[in-house]
Amino acid sequence: MGRSTRDKILIAAATMLGEDPTARLSVRAVAARAGVSTGSLRHFFPTQRELVDTVVAGIHTLELPDDPMQDPARTPAERLEACLRLLLAQVGTGEPAREHWRAQHAAYVASPPSDDAVHAFLALERLAVHRVGKWLAHLRDEGALAPGELEHHARFLLTVVTGLLAERALPGDRTRLAFEAHTLATAAAAVLRPAGSPVRPAGVRATADDRAAL
């Protein structure tokens, strides 16, 4: 059975965001990518915001293939570091990293972004926090996470990743990768319980705020 028009639109929009998180998802661009008319797109998604929110909500439910957090052979620190490297790998190094920052600057810094652009950015930011929060929730349930709110830990780790992505866009040499690995290890250690420290019994949540953060 062929895909419905609505599914075609959502797949096209999600693909565009995957290729370029700063994509505007304009009606014309998404309709053209989906191979449908602008009228059909407006029928299902009257506004750009509704389209963005539906796409991001759908991505929320997706599970990453080969998620390092599910690897029982690794320590909690090794798994968390591997997860953070996945975020870095989405942008890459060298010219891809520079192109990423050029697009970010053009979309959100060079001139005041539109309300729709701000809405899309914040939706994607929440998605990133949610994804890292799910990893941290897994570690919390194992008793490996340090005390604190999940969202605070997640935003701290994302700030570290953002800084490393900025470094990747700047001139440097291969020796920087060793420092990058050390930075990820330091960041992971900051949100994990030290090895051998007392742990909370399995299944006991830290706070109600932790649950609300996901």
Side-chain angles (χ1 to χ4, degrees):
M1 183 181 296
R3 292 193 179 101
S4 69
T5 299
R6 186 177 185 276
D7 286 345
K8 289 179 181 178
I9 293 168
L10 291 175
I11 291 171
T15 301
M16 291 170 68
L17 282 178
E19 294 171 350
D20 176 12
T22 65
R24 299 290 185 174
L25 294 188
S26 69
V27 172
R28 289 181 180 276
V30 176
R33 185 67 175 261
V36 303
S37 68
T38 57
S40 293
L41 190 148
R42 288 290 193 194
H43 171 74
F44 292 103
F45 305 102
T47 68
Q48 186 185 47
R49 291 189 179 193
E50 288 184 52
L51 175 60
V52 169
D53 289 343
T54 304
V55 171
V56 171
I59 297 174
H60 265 262
T61 65
L62 295 178
E63 297 293 337
L64 293 175
D66 301 321
D67 186 349
M69 192 53 68
Q70 306 301 323
D71 185 353
R74 298 184 182 185
T75 66
E78 290 170 340
R79 281 179 280 150
L80 183 54
E81 291 166 36
C83 288
L84 298 177
R85 281 194 290 273
L86 278 182
L87 301 180
L88 291 168
Q90 291 177 352
V91 173
T93 60
E95 187 55 33
R98 287 188 288 274
E99 179 56 35
H100 168 80
W101 284 112
R102 280 195 291 267
Q104 293 281 336
H105 184 272
Y108 306 117
V109 180
S111 59
S114 67
D115 289 344
D116 283 341
V118 171
H119 182 84
F121 176 85
L122 294 177
L124 291 171
E125 181 182 60
R126 289 192 297 273
L127 174 63
V129 172
H130 173 78
R131 175 174 293 172
V132 177
K134 286 183 68 175
W135 289 329
L136 295 177
H138 191 98
L139 294 170
R140 177 199 59 199
D141 292 345
E142 293 179 4
L145 193 67
E149 295 183 15
L150 285 186
E151 183 174 355
H152 290 174
H153 286 329
R155 287 185 178 274
F156 162 70
L157 293 174
L158 286 169
T159 297
V160 173
V161 169
T162 298
L164 292 175
L165 287 175
E167 277 198 344
R168 285 185 168 201
L170 298 172
D173 55 33
R174 293 182 181 274
T175 61
R176 179 179 289 163
L177 293 179
F179 289 102
E180 181 177 285
H182 179 72
T183 298
L184 290 177
T186 302
V191 302
L192 294 174
R193 288 180 177 274
S197 65
V199 299
R200 187 181 303 106
V204 176
R205 298 298 195 257
T207 64
D209 290 333
D210 282 351
R211 292 192 294 273
L214 290 179

